[in-house]
Amino acid sequence: MSSKIFQYTCPSCSSELDYDPASKGLKCRSCGYKEAIAVTEGEAHLAENSYGEVEQENAYQTVGVTCAKCAAEFQMPDYTLSVDCPYCGSNTVVDFAARTHSLKPDAIVPFAIAREQMTDIVKKAVGSNPFVPAEAKKYMISGGIKGIYVPSYSFDFIAETEYEGKRGTKYTKTDSKGNKTEEIRWTNVSGQVDVKLDDLQFVSGKYAALIEIEENQNKAMVPFEEKYLTGFLAEGHSVPLAKCFDNAKSLAVDEIEDAIETDIGGDEQQIDKWNAEYKNVKYRHFLYPFWVGDYAYNGKNFLFLISGMNGSAQIKVPISGWKVFFYFIAITLLSWLSFKIIGSMEGYGSIADWRARATGWHTAIPIIWNVICWLIFGFGVPSTYGVFTGTDTSGKQTLAEIDNETFAKLSEVKNIDKKAGQTNKV
């Protein structure tokens, strides 16, 4: 038996309607017909759910669906809310009522970056990287590009935290000869701090174990509506809520420890141990948009991940070893030249002469100058362009830096719709 699905059809030409980031509504693929999405007024979608009331979490089980366009029968993979029909390519969104689940999204951050914009972002970011081989810039968008919504969460709670530690108070010690030294007197302390954590937001799904969202998404959220999914892939809740709460607690550690250090006071603080009891835990489940794709160069695929909300990008890039080599040679030569120039200005004929005669600030200036050059040009510039990491960034980063393992797993998200075609027919 097939489950109820949503496939939105253009009333003018019977083609498929997809969500259009530019108009924030549905748009026909063929004739350009547009249809608005009714948005529920108010902020009910921002209300938190009580964590303690979730008694059972059922997985999004595989369900059978029948495509309204080609009448083909296929199975929607586990944890999947929206895929392309493996037979005709029409986007298929399964009605939530047809899935056995306990966590329906309260809200969604709709795509704001269209496919055309995303392509320009990748080309501009990689094309402007001076360390990328020139040949690679000619083959930017050769792999598959998919837009996908991923499960995300926002947690609020109060951490009642008991701690033990030491308070350090600085004082000046004078010895018998009148020499003064600064030392620290440590005092054992203990206490309790109540830390209120609001809107700890992160991505957590089958393809992304934990990616912190660094910029609050509440203003970008709208009430969940299936129409926002059409034209895109979508993953549903797939990580147990208890694990999601563990993720939230890990993101709260720095704020809790900052509160403890403030409570300890003194000139320096040392935390020996702390234990938190978490109360009034609330959560919100929402979907966050990504563009995922890759481009090929020299027999390898390089993944890119772009926020569908603001276009911030993290892009794997190939690095030219020769360009890096000559860059550092140039920095070394410039450092040597700076010694020569400053030396000649001060009347030194050679570096050996400078070393023999220079004293005081004459010695400090070229050294300081070279340190600054190496910090900015020797390390800062390569880091900015991903020479040390192989990952370039572009735009205001909404997400915390994604590690290589998560980056690799996210590439699998492009195959969600292929899995629908690999399952047995209903």
Side-chain angles (χ1 to χ4, degrees), residues 207-208 210-211 302-303 305 314-317 386 388-392 400-412:
Y207 301 96
L210 172 61
I211 304 175
F302 296 87
L303 179 70
L305 181 70
Q314 296 192 35
I315 307 168
K316 290 292 184 182
V317 294
F388 299 129
T389 63
T391 303
D392 205 345
E401 185 175 350
I402 300 173
D403 60 41
N404 289 330
E405 182 179 355
T406 302
F407 226 117
K409 286 193 68 176
L410 280 167
S411 65
E412 300 175 15

Side-chain angles (χ1 to χ4, degrees), residues 26 28 124 142 144 177 194 199 201 203 209 235 238 282 299-300 357 366 370 417:
L26 301 184
C28 178
K124 183 178 180 180
S142 59
K177 297 182 179 180
D194 296 341
D199 294 322
Q201 297 181 351
V203 173
E235 178 190 346
S238 57
K282 304 286 185 180
K300 296 181 179 180
R357 297 169 53 193
N370 275 269
D417 50 348

Side-chain angles (χ1 to χ4, degrees), residues 102-123:
S102 60
L103 294 182
K104 175 180 178 178
D106 303 292
I108 185 171
V109 177
F111 272 89
I113 301 297
R115 181 184 294 268
E116 296 75 19
Q117 294 173 278
M118 178 275 310
T119 301
D120 291 339
I121 290 170
V122 176
K123 287 184 176 180

Side-chain angles (χ1 to χ4, degrees), residues 153-166:
Y153 304 86
S154 180
F155 273 84
D156 294 356
F157 53 85
I158 297 174
E160 295 183 355
T161 310
E162 295 182 349
Y163 69 86
E164 294 180 9
K166 295 179 178 65

Side-chain angles (χ1 to χ4, degrees), residues 247-263:
N247 290 339
K249 289 188 287 188
S250 70
L251 297 179
V253 169
D254 287 345
E255 193 165 344
I256 291 174
E257 292 187 344
D258 286 344
I260 293 174
E261 290 180 350
T262 299
D263 196 61

Side-chain angles (χ1 to χ4, degrees), residues 163-167 187-191 264 270-273:
Y163 69 86
E164 294 180 9
K166 295 179 178 65
R167 179 188 301 115
T187 305
N188 291 326
V189 295
S190 61
I264 289 176
Q270 179 178 313
I271 302 173
D272 294 331
K273 62 179 181 180

